Amino acid sequence: MINVDISLNDEGQVTDVIMTGHAGFAEYGQDIVCAGATAVLFGSVNAIMGLTSEKPDIDYDDDGGYFHVRTIDTSNEQAQLILQAMIVSLQTIEDEYSDYIKLNLK
């Protein structure tokens, strides 16, 4: 199962995102849940870095199964909008494939 831990401050702004695990929906290379979740997260991070002044601290495992984005400036409204869109997209995947992906908003 993919777990996505999203830390929010008191105003509901994203400060930290950790995605761990593997969906296990299908074999490697055929797993649409993994591909979808990964595309949403990577696309969101790439959009933040390409479209805003935000340069988040990123840590990941080369073999997959772990991606951590932290030190997100909560005053950067553009970055926060991209992150809120990311949450909506991941929730859409979770709604359809809840046996394979779990979002944890903290």
Side-chain angles (χ1 to χ4, degrees):
M1 174 172 283
I2 294 173
N3 285 292
V4 185
D5 295 325
I6 301 172
S7 298
L8 306 170
N9 66 13
D10 291 338
E11 289 79 40
Q13 297 163 313
V14 178
T15 60
D16 194 73
V17 179
I18 302 172
M19 186 165 76
T20 59
H22 296 280
F25 178 78
E27 60 186 75
Y28 181 79
Q30 308 261 324
D31 195 325
I32 62 171
V33 178
C34 180
T38 300
V40 167
L41 181 62
F42 281 40
S44 298
V45 171
N46 287 337
I48 289 168
M49 294 187 331
L51 299 172
T52 76
S53 60
E54 180 71 21
K55 302 298 180 215
D57 183 22
I58 299 169
D59 188 25
Y60 60 92
D61 185 355
D62 288 331
D63 296 330
Y66 177 79
F67 192 87
H68 187 178
V69 183
R70 60 183 157 295
T71 316
I72 299 168
D73 181 2
T74 57
S75 67
N76 188 323
E77 292 179 19
Q78 292 174 316
Q80 287 298 315
L81 181 60
I82 293 167
L83 290 164
Q84 293 300 322
M86 177 199 72
I87 291 171
V88 170
S89 294
L90 290 172
Q91 285 172 330
T92 301
I93 296 170
E94 181 186 37
D95 287 347
E96 188 69 27
Y97 299 99
S98 61
D99 290 341
Y100 305 96
I101 183 170
K102 173 75 174 140
L103 267 68
N104 306 298
L105 302 174
K106 303 176 178 185

